[in-house]
Amino acid sequence: MNTTTQMPALFGQEYQALRESVSELAIKKIAPFAHDVDENSRYPQEAADALQAAGFAAAHVPVEFGGQGADALAAVIIIEEVARVCGAASLIPAVNKLGSVPLMIAGNDGQKQKYLTQLAAGKGFSYCLSESEAGSDAAAMKTKAVKEGDSWVLSGSKKWISNAGVSEFYTVLASTDPSKGAKGITAFIVEKSDAGVSFGAHEKKMGFRGSPTREVYLDKVKINDDRRLGEVGAGFALAMKTLDHTRITIAAQALGIAQGAFDVAKKYAHERQQFGKPIFDFQGIQFMLADMAMQIEAARQLTYAAAIKSERGESDLTFFSAASKCFATDVAMKVTTDAVQILGGYGYVSDYPVERMMRDAKLTQIYEGTNQIQRVVMARNLETLNN
């Protein structure tokens, strides 16, 4: 495993130190279990324990709530280095951030104190936006929240929820006034232990098999108004603002997967002998590896730029977050496919991790907004670019 990726000097040595720390943990405590996690479609508990012990499972949580106070770039580096060895494990910090960013943006002090401290202590946080008939068209959701006195009653179901059943807390988007469409959606915090919360069967997936993906059922779940996040009717805007920040974590995940596949392919090309010499000596292989390295570095620079814009809240964040997610995930799909090609027959079997990485890479082009949707988002935000 190549561990020599260097941060550009302008980012500061603290980021390089973080990268080296996460990389060491990933190689020693996560990589040895990655094949078994995928093969048996089991939750990467070893990774969860290691990440939690090191403070990397929810490093973005502010220090005052027990977290590391990691900025957006640091969160990207953590996810990237974990994904380099195990895509499923990288969803632990990624999903924790996705589920809790709405709380960090719109939550009041009491809500933050209650839930962020528990998140930092190891209780996961998932995000419930998609439904069976509301994927890219998220505003078409059918889940409803009806006001009853000082309480709300939530009914409906959420589809494709990462780490469902493992996480203790869920940010749920529900329609509080269907007549208003997107402006009638409100965000709530639902707890796993709430009466009426249940989970569907585990989805049988092509990739990311170690991360549970299940439906979340809400059967007349009654919660107090203090579980509402932000203003009534402001939930959809909050959801979109959240994705501006968290699409970048998917770019980081794709970046790590691509780098991991490249590492394996490059090493293999130097070791594999054909026609009396390493296959790296053939120009066809050299050009493939050169293109892979070039594409990964381009994706890395765009992803890091988007992370910095996220931290600063810059006006062109929406464009850059969509661009980083779209570009990095397309690169991951191309790089992992080429890695399988370089390994030939060995790339197609599970003796080597590149076939797993290729399967994992495919999902990054789909979730948190398909790459077709990302191109729509970019096109609508061209005027915000600070050129």
Side-chain angles (χ1 to χ4, degrees):
M1 177 65 66
N2 174 18
T3 61
T4 59
T5 300
Q6 297 291 312
M7 293 295 298
L10 62 90
F11 289 119
Q13 282 303 308
E14 66 271 21
Y15 294 107
Q16 182 62 28
L18 173 65
R19 179 188 295 284
E20 291 171 358
S21 178
V22 180
S23 177
E24 181 180 7
L25 179 145
I27 292 168
K28 290 182 178 179
K29 297 186 177 182
I30 298 177
F33 305 100
H35 174 79
D36 184 67
V37 163
D38 177 74
E39 189 78 8
N40 294 295
S41 299
R42 69 171 181 84
Y43 185 69
Q45 190 61 54
E46 299 88 354
D49 292 343
L51 289 167
Q52 181 61 33
F56 296 146
H60 68 286
V61 173
V63 173
E64 59 264 37
F65 302 115
Q68 300 293 317
D71 63 21
L73 180 57
V76 157
I77 292 168
I78 292 168
I79 293 166
E80 176 189 353
E81 288 300 317
V82 175
R84 199 166 171 176
V85 302
C86 181
S90 74
L91 268 172
I92 295 169
V95 170
N96 280 340
K97 182 167 183 178
L98 173 61
S100 60
V101 164
L103 170 61
M104 295 177 69
I105 293 174
N108 58 43
D109 290 343
Q111 291 170 328
K112 291 177 181 178
Q113 182 65 41
K114 179 178 180 179
Y115 291 106
L116 290 179
T117 52
Q118 293 187 73
L119 173 58
K123 295 185 176 181
F125 220 125
S126 290
Y127 184 74
C128 298
L129 176 63
S130 296
E131 298 182 5
S132 57
E133 300 300 324
S136 295
D137 183 13
M141 66 179 64
K142 301 298 183 184
T143 297
K144 295 181 181 179
V146 178
K147 191 75 181 294
E148 288 190 1
D150 293 330
S151 301
W152 295 89
V153 178
L154 278 63
S155 299
S157 62
K158 292 295 180 176
K159 190 81 169 175
W160 315 115
I161 307 307
S162 296
N163 290 350
V166 175
S167 294
E168 290 292 331
F169 309 122
Y170 300 81
T171 294
V172 175
L173 282 300
S175 177
T176 46
D177 188 345
S179 69
K180 293 183 179 179
K183 293 183 178 180
I185 293 171
T186 305
F188 300 89
I189 297 175
V190 171
E191 299 182 8
K192 179 180 176 179
S193 59
D194 288 334
V197 175
S198 62
F199 305 95
H202 290 260
E203 300 287 354
K204 296 179 180 179
K205 300 176 295 183
M206 179 170 70
F208 284 96
R209 293 173 177 172
S211 175
T213 302
R214 305 169 69 181
E215 201 159 359
V216 176
Y217 300 117
L218 305 164
D219 183 12
K220 297 180 181 178
V221 178
K222 190 171 185 178
I223 58 176
N224 292 331
D225 189 56
D226 62 6
R227 299 274 202 91
R228 173 173 48 84
L229 280 176
E231 298 299 320
V232 173
F236 188 76
L238 175 60
M240 295 303 102
K241 189 173 183 180
T242 294
L243 293 177
D244 282 346
H245 294 280
T246 59
R247 286 190 192 107
I248 303 163
T249 66
I250 307 305
Q253 190 175 68
L255 178 59
I257 292 169
Q259 184 68 58
F262 174 78
D263 293 342
V264 174
K266 184 177 69 169
K267 183 174 185 289
Y268 181 88
H270 282 288
E271 295 174 347
R272 175 68 167 169
Q273 297 273 333
Q274 291 288 274
F275 305 102
K277 58 183 177 180
I279 63 172
F280 182 81
D281 290 349
F282 295 100
Q283 190 178 67
I285 299 297
Q286 291 177 353
F287 280 12
M288 289 178 73
L289 288 166
D291 282 345
M292 292 159 76
M294 174 178 64
Q295 292 158 2
I296 289 168
E297 287 306 319
R300 179 170 286 117
Q301 298 306 316
L302 181 55
T303 300
Y304 290 1
I308 292 169
K309 288 178 181 291
S310 169
E311 191 64 29
R312 295 174 177 172
E314 295 188 9
S315 60
D316 53 359
L317 169 61
T318 300
F319 176 90
F320 270 83
S321 66
S324 66
K325 193 272 187 188
C326 186
F327 187 79
T329 60
D330 283 350
V331 163
M333 195 69 244
K334 177 70 164 59
V335 166
T336 55
T337 303
D338 285 349
V340 170
Q341 187 71 20
I342 289 171
L343 269 68
Y346 286 110
Y348 201 69
V349 296
S350 61
D351 294 3
Y352 287 84
V354 291
E355 62 86 25
R356 163 170 54 88
M357 292 168 171
M358 185 178 79
R359 289 186 283 106
D360 287 351
K362 185 64 227 177
L363 182 59
T364 67
Q365 294 180 301
I366 297 171
Y367 66 176
E368 283 207 40
T370 66
N371 283 4
Q372 287 70 32
I373 288 294
Q374 302 312 315
R375 288 174 167 88
V376 171
V377 172
M378 283 185 277
R380 290 176 176 175
N381 286 274
L382 293 175
E383 299 306 317
T384 66
L385 290 174
N386 297 323
N387 291 332

